[in-house]
Amino acid sequence: MYKVLVLPGDGVGPEVVDEALKVLRKVSSVAHLVFDTEEAVVGGASLERHGVPIIEATLSKAKASDAVLLGAVGGPKWDVLDHPMRPEQALLALREGLGLYANLRPATIDPNLLDASPLKREVVEGVDLLVVRELTGGIYFGKPRGIKKNPDGSEQGFNTEIYATHEVERIARRAFELARKRRRKVVSVDKANILESSILWRKVVTEVGKRFPDVQLSHMYVDNCAMQLIRNPKQFDVMVTTNMFGDILSDEAAMLTGSIGMLPSASLGDRHALYEPVHGSAPDIAGKNEANPIATILSVALMLRYTFELHDLALSVERAVREVLKGYRTVDLLQEHGQPVSCSRMGDLIAERVRS
Ligand code: NAD
């Protein structure tokens, strides 16, 4: 029996999570496995119920689960709140509390979606890259941080980009290990021409790389990387980078695939794991049954692969998604091809096609 804590969150979160659970139930029935799922509120939903973005009991449940499946948090209603009370604080608390230092964001192009990408077919055809983003350090957690008042009454906002050797070592090691199961190429992305934290990052990644002589390592500045992702995304296999650079570059990589609604992610620590779509709560389409649930469904596939090591079932979910995309599309993917379907119908179609 596998224990999964389900945190649907806000906006389209509950809609896409419902579809992912439909697929998980189908996996459970074809493979005769039991997934013991329990739900809890986070983000805006938790603010409404408990007055804080996440409560201690939810964090404890997350720690006691084999894996966490999360939808998305946030929305305009809570944008006015002070920083510590914002729904997004729940994500930071989960990442920190569960020690989820490695965020894996694979971006592959489905052959049926070549026309949905804003880039030319010949540029994106065959793209298969993995962004490995450091998730518990860097500028999102670094101290000091804050907004201070100057004597003249003006204000100053400041944050700290900070990385210790061991933080870089463990994320670099993950990236090299993952590259060994792929095409054995790692690009480390930094800003070592400007930032001291990046100089250390590059030094440590280079050292770790020496232990993986079978993996080819190169380094790239983040500004060049942003350009190369558009110019020639096929050059990338595994990309390892800092928290903030990874946040930005993985959204850019998402668009190569046609829609941010397609991209899953896995956040892994040494003991815990959390799976979620890359996209946010999409308040503009929430409640319309229009969201693309595929990113969350593919996050379930990552859960099956990385936490439960059920590789064939992970492949079966991914195959089901590919089969459905031959004929059906949610509105974010709708070009000249495909029959339009709602979020819930997309979930039904994918679940129907999951086989043991
Ligand atoms: P977003 O990802 O929610 O939306 C960006 C655009 O992509 C919107 O046009 C949206 O409609 C579209 N989109 C997103 N997911 C989609 C899906 N599954 N299907 C179809 N279209 C989809 O990003 P945003 O608008 O910058 O942020 C909205 C809220 O989400 C904010 O409160 C933000 O803080 C929060 N957010 C949460 C997470 C998270 O929970 N991990 C991540 C990013 C943003």
Side-chain angles (χ1 to χ4, degrees), residues 95-347:
R95 288 169 190 170
E96 203 173 21
L98 300 180
L100 307 174
Y101 60 83
N103 183 224
L104 278 47
R105 297 183 164 196
T108 48
I109 308 290
D110 188 294
N112 301 298
L113 290 185
L114 286 170
D115 297 322
S117 172
L119 298 191
K120 290 189 197 112
R121 171 181 270 267
E122 58 270 27
V123 176
V124 290
E125 192 163 23
V127 165
D128 178 7
L129 65 91
L130 176 66
V131 179
V132 180
R133 166 188 168 194
E134 201 290 326
L135 203 59
T136 50
I139 199 163
Y140 291 1
F141 290 92
K143 290 197 176 103
R145 64 186 298 159
I147 301 176
K148 71 172 184 195
K149 269 234 185 309
N150 293 321
D152 66 2
S154 64
E155 288 184 306
Q156 235 173 3
F158 56 97
N159 293 86
T160 305
E161 169 76 343
I162 182 163
Y163 272 111
T165 304
H166 77 275
E167 291 175 295
V168 186
E169 259 171 10
R170 65 186 181 184
I171 190 77
R173 209 181 317 112
R174 279 273 173 149
F176 283 107
E177 282 163 4
L178 287 158
R180 271 191 171 152
K181 295 183 184 145
R182 296 173 48 97
R183 301 193 303 283
R184 293 172 186 261
K185 275 169 61 179
V186 170
V187 174
S188 171
V189 180
D190 61 39
K191 190 70 183 167
N193 50 344
I194 306 280
L195 302 174
E196 282 79 3
S197 59
S198 275
I199 294 173
L200 180 75
W201 176 279
R202 189 175 281 218
K203 189 173 117 187
V204 176
V205 173
T206 305
E207 277 307 308
V208 174
K210 289 180 186 161
R211 283 180 252 146
F212 295 84
D214 52 324
V215 179
Q216 182 199 323
L217 169 66
S218 58
H219 302 274
M220 198 178 268
Y221 295 136
V222 63
D223 42 347
N224 182 29
C225 182
M227 182 184 75
Q228 295 296 336
L229 263 176
I230 301 296
R231 198 183 71 87
N232 177 19
K234 274 181 262 189
Q235 70 184 284
F236 296 106
D237 178 18
V238 173
M239 179 191 294
V240 64
T241 190
T242 64
N243 205 339
M244 181 164 67
F245 294 160
D247 193 4
I248 299 164
L249 293 172
S250 59
D251 270 28
E252 190 185 347
M255 269 323 286
L256 302 174
T257 68
S259 167
I260 196 161
M262 292 294 297
L263 250 86
S265 82
S267 300
L268 310 176
D270 291 328
R271 296 213 308 275
H272 303 288
L274 180 147
Y275 299 86
E276 61 178 323
V278 165
H279 63 74
S281 60
D284 51 334
I285 56 167
K288 295 184 178 167
N289 196 14
E290 253 181 33
N292 185 348
I294 292 179
T296 318
I297 291 170
L298 290 176
S299 300
V300 165
L302 294 184
M303 182 194 293
L304 295 170
R305 176 170 297 127
Y306 291 125
T307 293
F308 302 130
E309 300 191 349
L310 299 167
H311 299 280
D312 290 348
L313 290 166
L315 285 172
S316 174
V317 171
E318 288 161 352
R319 205 177 303 118
V321 168
R322 270 200 307 279
E323 273 177 34
V324 171
L325 285 172
K326 285 181 189 157
Y328 302 93
R329 305 282 159 87
T330 40
V331 284
D332 54 311
L333 296 172
L334 213 51
Q335 304 288 312
E336 63 271 34
H337 308 290
Q339 185 181 323
V341 292
S342 65
C343 177
S344 51
R345 180 82 186 117
M346 183 56 102

